[in-house]
Amino acid sequence: DDRDGEVRSIAATATGNLGAAALPAVPQLVKQLQSDPVKESRETAARALGRIGKAAPDEQGLVSPLTGATREDADPVTRVVAHGALAMIGVEMAGQIVALRKYLHHDDALVRMKASHALGMIGMPAKGAAPEIVDVLKRETDPHRRGYVARALGNTGDPASLPALLAALEKETDSGAKGEIHGAINRLKAPAATTTKP
C-alpha cells in the first residue's frame, strides 16, 4: 500500500519470492495487478502471482486475474508477464507460447526481451520459438537485454541457435552479456556432447 510505485513493485517481487508462504497476500497482489496506476507494479504483481501459483498449484484464485491481464492491461510488458505467469502455473501452456511468440515481433525492444525471457522460463516446450528469439538477439542494441535474450536461447534448447550465439559472442563487448552468451552456448553444447558419446 506504499504511495511509491517503485516500493510497491519491489514489495510484490519480494512477496512472490516467498512462494506458497505468500498465499495470504494474493488478494492484495490481485488488486495491484488489476488497478495499480504504475505499470511496473502491475508487471511485478503478475510475476509474483505466477511464482505463488507454481508453489501452490491448488490455488485457483490466480488464473482469472492473470487471464484478464493478458487481454486487458494497457501495458504490453504486463500482458507478456501475465502470459508467462500462467505458463508458470501450467495453464494452457501451448496457448501461452503462441501468445508470447507474437510479442517477439513487437515494436518495443523491452517487450521483445520480456517475451524472450518468458519463453526461456518455459524452456524446452518453447523450443519452436528459438529462431524468432534469435532474430530478437540480432536486433537487440542494449547489452543487458541481450544477456536475457541469450539466456532464453540456452533455456529453449535448440542447438540451431548456436551459430547466432557464437556470432553474438564475437561482437559482444559487455562482460555481463558475454557471461550470459557463454552460459547459453554451454547449455546448448552439453546435450550434443552427451548424445555423441558411444
Side-chain angles (χ1 to χ4, degrees):
D1 294 324
D2 197 275
R3 284 185 288 181
D4 187 330
E6 186 177 355
V7 173
R8 295 194 300 275
S9 177
I10 293 167
T13 299
T15 304
N17 288 341
L18 298 174
L23 278 169
V26 164
Q28 274 185 289
L29 287 166
V30 167
K31 182 182 175 187
Q32 186 167 320
L33 173 62
Q34 292 175 333
S35 61
D36 199 298
V38 177
K39 62 184 183 177
E40 289 83 2
S41 294
R42 299 195 305 275
E43 172 196 344
T44 52
R47 189 174 297 111
L49 289 169
R51 287 179 176 156
I52 294 166
K54 184 177 181 181
D58 294 333
E59 176 56 51
Q60 294 300 308
L62 314 174
V63 175
S64 179
L66 284 167
T67 302
T70 66
R71 297 175 183 152
E72 298 161 14
D73 199 280
D75 174 39
V77 170
T78 301
R79 296 197 300 271
V80 164
V81 172
H83 278 295
L86 286 167
M88 200 182 300
I89 57 181
V91 176
E92 297 176 13
M93 179 77 74
Q96 306 312 329
I97 292 170
V98 168
L100 287 166
R101 287 177 74 168
K102 291 177 185 173
Y103 286 100
L104 295 173
H105 307 279
H106 198 275
D107 290 339
D108 188 322
L110 178 63
V111 174
R112 295 193 300 269
M113 182 276 279
K114 294 282 186 174
S116 300
H117 180 61
L119 288 161
M121 294 297 287
I122 292 169
M124 289 293 289
K127 182 177 179 180
E132 293 162 278
I133 301 173
V134 164
D135 289 339
V136 173
L137 180 65
K138 289 177 179 176
R139 294 175 65 186
E140 187 52 71
T141 58
D142 178 81
H144 180 71
R145 292 196 296 256
R146 278 197 300 273
Y148 273 101
V149 176
R151 188 190 307 169
L153 286 171
N155 290 341
T156 49
D158 185 357
S161 305
L162 276 168
L165 285 164
L166 290 164
L169 184 60
E170 261 186 54
K171 298 187 295 184
E172 189 56 65
T173 57
D174 180 81
S175 60
K178 275 185 180 178
E180 292 287 2
I181 295 169
H182 269 297
I185 290 168
N186 290 338
R187 281 193 297 280
L188 293 179
K189 282 184 173 178
T194 56
T195 53
T196 54
K197 286 183 181 177

